[in-house]
Amino acid sequence: MRIAEIYCSIQGEGFLTGTESVFVRTAGCNLRCWFCDTHYASWHPEGEDLSVHTVLRRILAYDAEHVVITGGEPMLYAELIPLCAALNKRGYHITVETAGTLYLPLHCDLMSISPKLSNSAPRGTAHERWKRRHERARHAPDVVRRLIREHAYQVKFVVDDPHDLEEIDRYLDAMPEIERDWVMLMPQGTEVGRLNLTRNWLEPYCREHGFRFCARKHVEWFGLVRGT
Ligand code: SF4
């Protein structure tokens, strides 16, 4: 499996915010969100091909009890199945962060699904081919249904603009299986000023509509710095 980076840091998003974790970032993605903050794992994937054994050995070198498998899109790699089984056997808490477009039968303790809305499509005329692929692939409700049926989960929507809220409502209306308690709305952005501007209207909206607001604490703590 192609791995962009493995490092130990603090989870900055979602229910486990503040938890020390080893992050395993796979390289490669079947989507091309314009706002992707890890181009080195999507638009321009980097990294090296590592065996499950090597990935496991690098995780074991850290003390953390939580492992976050992220990307890119980690569900591209069937090697996740033996990796998650080996981590589970050793007692790790496993989070898998996915856009929810691909399914693998794996063990995980928290499936963190971030379905991509129409606001994510690649912009500009230079990416017409990717725009078509992205639009074909980004919405996979049957995959999301299966993931939430089989795992504890959180669903995080990236919100860029107030118009996105109607689309989220339509999405959730069509997916009554998703418990609102596990839905988080997270501002789009990679710098604190931009995040705060969205937070000013999004946090009250979450309170009024029964959603959880999802801060991007790692941006506050570290900035947009690779390996954090
Ligand atoms: S799905 Fe995630 S990793 Fe892939 S392009 Fe979108 S934001 Fe980046």
Side-chain angles (χ1 to χ4, degrees):
M1 58 201 300
R2 194 166 181 192
I3 301 293
E5 54 187 354
I6 299 175
Y7 58 94
C8 190
S9 186
I10 310 291
Q11 174 60 281
E13 296 177 5
F15 290 128
L16 293 173
T17 294
T19 306
E20 187 185 39
S21 309
V22 180
F23 290 78
V24 177
R25 187 180 305 285
T26 61
C29 189
N30 57 335
L31 302 182
R32 289 293 185 275
C33 306
W34 73 266
F35 52 64
C36 185
D37 59 1
T38 53
H39 272 224
Y40 58 95
S42 58
W43 286 88
H44 309 291
E46 299 174 11
E48 47 183 344
D49 276 320
L50 299 180
S51 67
V52 170
H53 177 75
T54 303
V55 174
L56 191 58
R57 194 165 40 78
R58 293 201 187 172
I59 293 169
L60 292 171
Y62 295 102
D63 274 341
E65 293 170 2
H66 285 244
V67 175
V68 179
I69 303 176
T70 187
E73 176 51 76
M75 298 290 242
L76 284 169
Y77 293 101
E79 291 98 320
L80 247 57
I81 299 168
L83 177 63
C84 289
L87 290 169
N88 181 44
K89 204 167 130 197
R90 287 165 175 78
Y92 283 96
H93 180 286
I94 306 163
T95 300
V96 174
E97 297 186 333
T98 175
T101 62
L102 300 168
Y103 176 83
L104 284 176
L106 48 74
H107 174 91
C108 92
D109 301 287
L110 178 63
M111 187 60 75
S112 180
I113 309 167
S114 182
K116 295 300 180 277
L117 304 174
S118 55
N119 68 8
S120 62
R123 295 178 174 179
T125 50
H127 306 298
E128 287 303 330
R129 194 174 131 265
W130 262 114
K131 202 184 280 183
R132 286 194 297 277
R133 282 185 67 177
H134 183 95
E135 282 306 299
R136 270 200 309 273
R138 71 174 173 80
H139 183 52
D142 288 341
V143 174
V144 174
R145 282 192 187 97
R146 191 163 181 192
L147 293 175
I148 67 170
R149 208 165 49 233
E150 294 181 4
H151 303 281
Y153 67 90
Q154 60 188 14
V155 175
K156 287 188 292 183
F157 290 101
V158 177
V159 179
D160 191 43
D161 180 281
H163 293 110
D164 300 336
L165 301 170
E166 287 172 29
E167 189 175 340
I168 292 168
D169 271 345
R170 285 198 301 277
Y171 187 103
L172 293 173
D173 283 348
M175 300 271 282
E177 307 89 334
I178 299 177
E179 299 256 1
R180 284 221 164 194
D181 274 356
W182 311 131
V183 176
M184 301 181 161
L185 306 190
M186 184 172 75
Q188 191 283 121
T190 51
E191 51 92 20
V192 173
R194 174 75 168 82
L195 293 174
N196 284 342
L197 279 177
T198 304
R199 181 179 197 141
N200 288 343
W201 54 265
L202 186 58
E203 200 168 20
Y205 178 89
C206 287
R207 271 198 304 274
E208 284 160 27
H209 292 82
F211 296 118
R212 292 169 193 258
F213 176 78
C214 180
R216 306 193 74 198
K217 296 303 256 183
H218 53 297
V219 176
E220 279 175 39
W221 296 331
F222 310 114
L224 191 61
V225 176
R226 191 166 167 173
T228 59

